[in-house]
Amino acid sequence: MKHVRTIREFFNDSRNKHLIGISPNKYVYHTSNPIFRNKISKEGLIPQSKSEAWLSDTKIEGKVIFAVNSDDKEDWWDSTYDDDIYKIDTTNLNNKWYNDPNFDLDNKRIITFENIPLNSIQLIYKGNGDPFN
């Protein structure tokens, strides 16, 4: 199946030429506050803008989804809250993935600018949103 670039992908590519592409593992992991669980269960994962998802001084332009390219739980995001963890199956996705430029090039912190549909995500841990003590 040929992947047709959307206008969003074109603009993300042109504004983010400094990003380094990566081939993700079969499974990558996304952390999210449980308050978004209902929305994710209906829509899948949708890229979010800076104001919604991360600090304004990031080296990324546009809406993005963050993930961790490692099965090792020690590598997964720790927001200091008891967050939900989603397992993303990348085998049926045509998403382009990049190293997150806010971190060292260890191929563990990655991003995509494209939606991730429900059939590619699985909620593997239900957090309660409380801060860890």
Side-chain angles (χ1 to χ4, degrees):
M1 173 185 224
K2 184 177 179 186
H3 178 70
V4 178
R5 285 176 26 133
T6 64
I7 291 174
R8 179 193 298 175
E9 290 172 319
F10 173 78
F11 283 114
N12 282 331
D13 286 349
S14 62
R15 288 185 296 184
N16 290 295
K17 290 188 181 297
H18 63 287
L19 296 179
I20 297 170
I22 184 172
S23 294
N25 295 335
K26 178 177 180 178
Y27 299 112
V28 300
Y29 300 85
H30 175 79
T31 303
S32 178
N33 188 301
I35 63 171
F36 301 115
R37 186 182 306 147
N38 190 40
K39 185 174 182 175
I40 292 170
S41 73
K42 293 176 182 170
E43 300 176 5
L45 293 171
I46 309 293
Q48 300 298 311
S49 66
K50 291 179 187 182
S51 63
E52 299 169 39
W54 71 92
L55 301 174
S56 61
D57 64 349
T58 183
K59 300 170 187 168
I60 304 166
E61 292 293 330
K63 295 182 177 187
V64 70
I65 296 170
F66 292 98
V68 176
N69 195 30
S70 172
D71 293 321
D72 185 347
K73 292 179 183 181
E74 296 295 316
D75 292 330
W76 297 354
W77 296 111
D78 180 4
S79 70
T80 70
Y81 289 87
D82 190 21
D83 289 328
D84 288 347
I85 307 289
Y86 292 88
K87 182 178 183 179
I88 302 167
D89 184 344
T90 65
T91 56
N92 293 321
L93 296 176
N94 288 320
N95 295 38
K96 288 185 180 180
W97 294 89
Y98 303 90
N99 272 306
D100 183 337
N102 298 296
F103 293 90
D104 294 332
L105 295 177
D106 63 2
N107 295 338
K108 290 182 185 174
R109 311 286 181 210
I110 62 174
I111 59 172
T112 185
F113 294 95
E114 301 162 80
N115 295 351
I116 300 173
L118 287 172
N119 64 351
S120 293
I121 64 173
Q122 176 186 3
L123 178 60
I124 61 170
Y125 176 78
K126 288 184 179 182
N128 63 24
D130 291 341
F132 288 123
N133 295 328

